[in-house]
Amino acid sequence: MRRLIAAALIIGGASAAQGQAPVLPRVHVLATGGTISNLGNDARRTGDELIAAIPALGKIARVTVEQFSNVASGSVTQDMWRDLAKRIAALQAGPDAPAGYVITHGTDTMEETAYFLGLTVGGCSPVLVTGAMRQANAVGADGPANLLNAVRVAVAPAARGRGTMVLMNDEIFAARDVTKSNTSRMNAFSAPDAGVLGLADPDTVVFHRAAPEGGSTCRRAPFDLATLGAFPRVDVIYAHIGADSVAVEAAVAAGARGLVVAGVGRGGSTPSQGRALRRARDQGVVVATSNRTGSGRVGSGGVSDSLEKLPAGAGANVGSAELNPQKARILLMLALAAKYRPADIARLFEVR
Ligand code: GLU
C-alpha cells in the first residue's frame, strides 16, 4: 500500500539549471489517492500525472512527487498516518529539504489525516492537504486548481510555521479547525468555530490570522512519534434517543482505552448510555465528551444539561472543547499513547 512507486518528477528545474532564473523552492507532493486521482472504473491517475497536467506549477516551485498510496480515503490506515508523518520528518532532515509539502488525499477523511499530521509534524515547512470534490476526469474538475493552490500556499512565506493546513476551494483551513460538512458541494469544507484561516486568491495568498510567534518560530509537534508507543483503541459512541449500553460495552470488551461521546447538545447521552460510560470510566477508560451538533464547545468543567449528566471534570471524564468526535478521537488516542494523565488530557484539548 505504502509508497507503491517512489517516483520523482521535477518541474521548474530546467530554467534554473540554465542559470537564467533563481532556483525555485522545492515542494514535495505525497500522493495518497482520493477523488482527485479517481478516473472511475478502478482507474486512477498517479501523482506524477496530476502534477504534469498543471504546467503553471513550473513557475512556482520545483515539484517532486512520491506515490505514497493510491486509495480512497476510507482505506487510509493509522499505520499510514505514522508512515506519512515519519516520511515528512525524514524529508525535513534530509538534503534539499522541501520548503513545503502537499498531500493529495480523498476528501472523506481528509480532516482526520490533516489533524493527525498537525499533531505529529513539527518544523517550519507547511504541510498542505488537498483533494477534489469532482473526479479527475469530470467536467469542471476542481483537483488541478486545488493542487496548484496548495503548492502556492506551500511556498508562501506567510505560511511558514503554521503547520498542517487543508486547502480546498481556494480556502485555507487550520488542521484543527477544518471539517467536511457537505457530501458533494465544491465548498464542502468549513471551519464552523474558528472560520477560514486564509485564502489562495488569484493575485496572492492571504492569511486572516497571524502565524504563531509571527511565523518566526518553527513549530514543535505536540506529539513525538519517535517516542510514542502503539496506538490504543479509542472508539466513538454516538448518542441518540433510544441509545443503550450496548455500543459502550462492546467497545470496552474490544479493548477500548478511550471513548469519545458524540453527545447530544453540550455532550449529553441517554441514562442507559450514561451509566455504561460511568462503568467504563470506573474501569479506567478515559471518556472524552464531544458533540454531534457540528459546532460548539464541550468543556471539561460542565458537561451537558440534557438527558444524562456525566460528572463534570471528574476522574477520567474530559470535555473535547470544539473538536468534533472524529478529531477528539485522534487527540485522545495520541494522548493515551503518550501516557498523559486525565487532568493533562483535559488541558490538551484546549491547546490551539
Ligand atoms: N471521496 C472519496 C475519498 O474520500 C474518494 C473515493 C475514491 O477515490 O475512490 O477518498
Side-chain angles (χ1 to χ4, degrees):
M1 290 278 244
R2 274 156 267 149
R3 251 175 283 144
L4 291 175
I5 317 154
L9 175 80
I10 301 196
I11 291 192
S15 55
Q18 288 155 15
Q20 292 168 358
V23 175
L24 293 169
R26 177 183 172 202
V27 170
H28 192 67
V29 175
L30 289 141
T32 74
T35 299
I36 191 169
S37 64
N38 196 348
L39 296 164
N41 299 322
D42 288 335
R44 288 185 183 276
R45 290 215 169 115
T46 63
D48 282 343
E49 289 166 345
L50 297 180
I51 294 300
I54 313 173
L57 284 170
K59 292 200 168 74
I60 299 168
R62 284 181 295 132
V63 179
T64 47
V65 186
E66 180 172 328
Q67 194 73 43
F68 181 85
S69 60
N70 210 341
V71 297
S73 70
S75 296
V76 170
T77 65
Q78 295 181 169
D79 284 342
M80 289 163 76
W81 283 350
R82 263 189 201 266
D83 289 348
L84 253 184
K86 285 183 174 170
R87 178 69 184 130
I88 294 170
L91 287 157
Q92 286 173 329
D96 190 21
Y101 302 83
V102 172
I103 318 281
T104 59
H105 197 287
T107 55
D108 293 349
T109 65
M110 175 181 283
E111 69 194 81
E112 293 178 59
T113 298
Y115 188 47
F116 179 87
L117 295 176
L119 291 170
T120 54
V121 175
C124 306
S125 40
V127 177
L128 274 298
V129 187
T130 194
M133 294 303 296
R134 291 185 181 149
Q135 204 164 282
N137 52 356
V139 173
D142 52 333
N146 287 338
L147 193 42
L148 176 64
N149 281 333
V151 173
R152 289 176 60 217
V153 177
V155 299
R160 288 186 76 69
R162 291 184 187 268
T164 303
M165 294 165 272
V166 162
L167 181 300
M168 288 292 289
N169 199 35
D170 300 347
E171 294 180 322
I172 306 164
F173 302 92
R176 177 175 170 116
D177 305 335
V178 68
T179 190
K180 187 176 187 181
S181 47
N182 187 279
T183 57
S184 328
R185 300 280 76 81
M186 306 290 275
N187 61 348
F189 284 78
S190 62
D193 289 292
V196 168
L197 177 62
L199 298 169
D201 263 354
D203 57 332
T204 190
V205 170
V206 290
F207 285 93
H208 300 318
R209 302 196 284 275
E213 316 273 340
S216 58
T217 313
C218 301
R219 285 180 84 250
R220 237 187 94 212
F223 295 95
D224 180 5
L225 284 176
T227 59
L228 221 53
F231 295 156
R233 183 182 181 104
V234 176
D235 287 304
V236 175
I237 304 293
Y238 209 90
H240 54 88
I241 290 174
D244 60 17
S245 62
V246 167
V248 175
E249 286 164 358
V252 174
R257 290 194 30 229
L259 294 175
V260 173
V261 184
V264 296
R266 278 199 304 134
S269 51
T270 64
S272 166
Q273 207 168 36
R275 284 192 294 275
L277 288 166
R278 272 196 211 96
R279 286 196 297 276
R281 194 200 54 201
D282 292 345
Q283 290 169 41
V285 174
V286 177
V287 177
T289 307
S290 179
N291 74 92
R292 61 175 211 183
T293 67
S295 64
R297 288 184 65 257
V298 178
S300 288
V303 178
S304 181
D305 51 8
S306 72
L307 296 182
E308 179 78 358
K309 275 189 190 174
L310 289 171
N317 182 46
V318 301
S320 297
E322 80 286 2
L323 288 176
N324 66 25
Q326 59 270 30
K327 284 185 164 165
R329 195 193 76 82
I330 296 168
L331 183 55
L332 182 55
M333 181 181 79
L334 288 169
L336 290 170
K339 303 196 183 344
Y340 276 99
R341 290 168 313 158
D344 296 324
I345 295 176
R347 275 194 289 278
L348 205 55
F349 273 98
E350 299 287 354
V351 177
R352 286 170 192 83

